[in-house]
Amino acid sequence: MNTLTYGGAATRGCEMARNLAALAVVLICGFCGRSFASPEPSLLCVVTLIKIFRVDTNLPTTEAVADAAIGEHTTLQFVFRAPFQVTNLQAVVSDGIPGAVTRFVGYAKVGKPYTGGASDTLHSADGMFPDPLLEDSSVSVPANHNQPVWITIPARKKGILRGNLALRWPGGGIGRDFTVNVHNVRMKKPRLWITNWWFDQADRLTLLAGHKVETFSDEYWKLLRQMADFMAAYHQNVSWISPLDLAEIGSKDGRYTFDFGRFDRTVRTFIDAGVIGRIEGRHIGGRPSEDWNSQFVVKVPVFTNGTMRHLNLPATNSLTREFYSQYLPALARHLKSRRWDKIYLQHVGDEPIDANAGSYREAAAMVHEFAPGMRIVEATQSKNLVGAVNTWVPILDHLHHGIEFFRERQKAGDEVWFYTCCGPTGNYANRFIEQPLIKPRLLHWINFRYGVTGYLHWGFNCWESKLSPFEE
């Protein structure tokens, strides 16, 4: 199995228009659809914007037709159901659709219900939600349960593609024809900056590999490339990397020394995969406690009798300034030597608010002092950061309520992106599993509509260490 999620197969353009039209018809009709009351197995084509719960019986069907522009991917969703248990169910798409990938949709338990109060929140009778696209070649399906099948098709050249989805199980089978219309419109390289923060802590890599992985081992670098390839396939073009944490820091004659070799290898892994793009330097600081109003501090390596330890200190502290007056110029020189200085953005501390904007500004001023020209990017919850932040990334509801402020920042030469995380809730678009699939699809239409040039999400592989993401 992998972490590809239901509805995340990059449906855009022509297919998006068709899906919206189909969804509108469904809503107008009050979800007029096909019932699974048949005594025989059935295979229906269902709108790809609809999440299929395991025991739904009246589904909004659609034509088995998809539309795409050249260079994009389009998708189709079929739903299998039988009045008896089926084991070893397999799915195959005919050879007439080159590059087509067929996956069964899996289900994940939602243990923490969404409490955002949205009017369109989805509810599951058994607490299971369709989400992962499985790499399993076969599945078992209980009697009178739905099994969605998700087909992803690359649109490589203009024309009409005709294919067939065939499902087989011991003693039976069923199939459906489908059509893909590839229009004479070519998708260009996406201009939107996209970053999903990835994590390489041992517990996250253990979940990915199925066993313990030593940091910076050969297997570590292979897993890093695997994640990078996955990001590139879905048009992520910014990578969140920490030169501070990856640097090998030493001390010689009372001065700091820096070896950026591991940073370079990480960056090149993402470049070789096609992700970068831009380099998003991870945070050099943060809050010292869980008190959201606490003032920002930064990480400072200090050597005592040849042993290095890390302190969290205000930006104005003399030890802080001693370290960063050496580290930041060294980083800036290194970036320039690699010709990465123009694509590098630096985080300072996550989500500053009005109560700690002053300490954030001090840390940002230090970056600008010791590395002139280095641009600062930040997920912000305060407007009191003019001059400190160059790339503003407000949470979506702050963008909504402060749109005129952010338009002024764009006019002044700053960039504006937006982010979502555990918020906003309510009727805002986000990526919660209990939201309709139209909500995550709308995120980048918001980018387009309001001229917001980037999107940040914090959790590419931020799984809990003791829980499988397929179980919770």
Side-chain angles (χ1 to χ4, degrees):
M1 294 185 284
N2 63 14
T3 55
L4 207 159
T5 54
Y6 189 51
T11 305
R12 302 180 298 272
C14 299
E15 188 195 352
M16 183 66 175
R18 173 180 286 274
N19 279 333
L20 289 173
L23 186 61
V25 170
V26 168
L27 294 175
I28 292 170
C29 294
F31 281 85
C32 51
R34 290 282 300 278
S35 174
F36 277 115
S38 170
E40 300 295 327
S42 59
L43 184 61
L44 306 178
C45 187
V46 179
V47 179
T48 56
L49 289 173
I50 299 297
K51 291 189 176 185
I52 307 300
F53 293 99
R54 297 197 292 192
V55 294
D56 285 349
T57 56
N58 193 36
L59 300 176
T61 58
T62 186
E63 296 179 84
V65 178
D67 291 274
I70 301 169
E72 71 169 343
H73 289 74
T74 189
T75 54
L76 287 161
Q77 176 173 233
F78 292 88
V79 181
F80 170 79
R81 188 181 179 107
F84 48 83
Q85 181 174 345
V86 171
T87 60
N88 196 28
L89 178 68
Q90 300 182 24
V92 178
V93 170
S94 62
D95 295 336
I97 309 291
V101 177
T102 304
R103 296 183 180 93
F104 292 109
V105 177
Y107 289 82
K109 177 185 175 183
V110 175
K112 297 179 181 179
Y114 176 65
T115 57
S119 58
D120 56 359
T121 299
L122 301 176
H123 301 279
S124 169
D126 60 1
M128 305 295 289
F129 281 76
D131 192 59
L133 299 181
L134 307 177
E135 303 243 353
D136 302 54
S137 60
S138 65
V139 295
S140 295
V141 185
N144 299 312
H145 278 59
N146 300 324
Q147 177 55 64
V149 182
W150 193 266
I151 306 176
T152 304
I153 303 150
R156 293 170 175 165
K157 61 182 181 179
K158 175 188 175 183
I160 299 175
L161 304 176
R162 302 187 189 280
N164 176 269
L165 170 64
L167 299 186
R168 297 284 183 266
W169 64 91
I174 193 171
R176 280 288 303 272
D177 294 331
F178 62 88
T179 302
V180 178
N181 298 313
V182 183
H183 299 269
N184 193 25
V185 177
R186 185 173 296 276
M187 286 288 296
K188 296 182 179 179
K189 185 178 180 180
R191 296 169 294 181
L192 183 67
W193 296 112
I194 297 289
T195 178
N196 288 274
W197 290 354
W198 58 276
F199 299 85
D200 61 349
Q201 291 96 331
D203 55 345
R204 272 64 183 267
L205 294 184
T206 297
L207 282 172
L208 188 62
H211 56 266
K212 184 178 180 180
V213 178
E214 294 295 331
T215 304
F216 308 128
S217 65
D218 288 345
E219 186 174 15
Y220 168 91
W221 294 110
K222 289 179 182 178
L223 288 173
L224 205 65
R225 179 56 190 261
Q226 180 182 332
M227 289 194 287
D229 287 339
F230 191 91
M231 294 175 190
Y234 289 86
H235 301 297
Q236 179 165 331
N237 49 18
V238 182
S239 188
W240 189 56
I241 302 170
S242 176
L244 179 59
D245 293 338
L246 289 168
E248 294 182 83
I249 301 173
S251 177
K252 183 178 181 180
D253 299 330
R255 298 280 296 176
Y256 287 98
T257 62
F258 306 97
D259 182 342
F260 291 107
R262 295 186 304 206
F263 170 68
D264 287 357
R265 185 170 181 179
T266 303
V267 171
R268 292 194 184 282
T269 297
F270 284 92
I271 289 176
D272 292 346
V275 176
I276 296 173
R278 293 170 96 171
I279 305 165
E280 185 187 4
R282 294 188 183 183
H283 308 81
I284 61 172
R287 293 170 174 83
S289 72
E290 294 184 1
D291 179 2
W292 203 241
N293 295 318
S294 59
Q295 301 305 305
F296 282 98
V297 294
V298 294
K299 293 181 281 189
V300 181
V302 175
F303 284 89
T304 304
N305 297 325
T307 301
M308 188 178 74
R309 59 194 176 103
H310 286 87
L311 303 178
N312 294 318
L313 300 172
T316 54
N317 184 279
S318 60
L319 291 176
T320 303
R321 292 185 60 80
E322 179 183 359
F323 172 72
Y324 282 96
S325 66
Q326 299 174 58
Y327 167 74
L328 287 168
L331 174 61
R333 289 192 299 270
H334 186 77
L335 292 170
K336 189 171 184 178
S337 73
R338 295 290 187 266
R339 298 184 179 180
W340 296 337
D341 53 313
K342 303 299 183 184
I343 63 171
Y344 185 82
L345 304 171
Q346 180 65 60
H347 282 280
V348 174
D350 197 29
E351 297 178 311
I353 59 176
D354 288 344
N356 50 32
S359 59
Y360 182 94
R361 288 194 299 269
E362 291 174 347
M366 180 186 69
V367 173
H368 287 146
E369 176 185 355
F370 295 133
M374 185 175 287
R375 295 180 63 84
I376 292 178
V377 58
E378 210 66 80
T380 60
Q381 295 191 10
S382 172
K383 298 176 185 176
N384 296 322
L385 302 170
V386 174
V389 171
N390 307 108
T391 298
W392 298 75
V393 192
I395 195 168
L396 180 56
D397 55 332
H398 285 214
L399 175 71
H400 172 202
H401 295 298
I403 188 65
E404 294 305 321
F405 170 83
F406 293 111
R407 284 174 172 161
E408 289 300 316
R409 296 320 310 152
Q410 288 175 317
K411 291 177 183 177
D414 290 346
E415 285 185 279
V416 176
W417 304 356
F418 76 87
Y419 78 99
T420 62
C421 56
C422 300
T425 56
N427 289 320
Y428 284 101
N430 207 320
R431 295 169 64 176
F432 296 119
I433 194 172
E434 290 158 283
Q435 288 183 320
L437 286 173
I438 186 63
K439 286 292 182 71
R441 299 281 181 93
L442 287 174
L443 288 169
H444 301 323
W445 288 97
I446 294 171
N447 283 109
F448 176 78
R449 170 65 178 82
Y450 294 100
V452 177
T453 56
Y455 172 75
L456 181 156
H457 191 267
W458 66 278
F460 176 79
N461 63 325
C462 191
W463 305 308
E464 294 289 340
S465 59
K466 296 180 180 180
L467 294 171
S468 164
F470 295 97
E471 297 174 357
E472 176 58 74

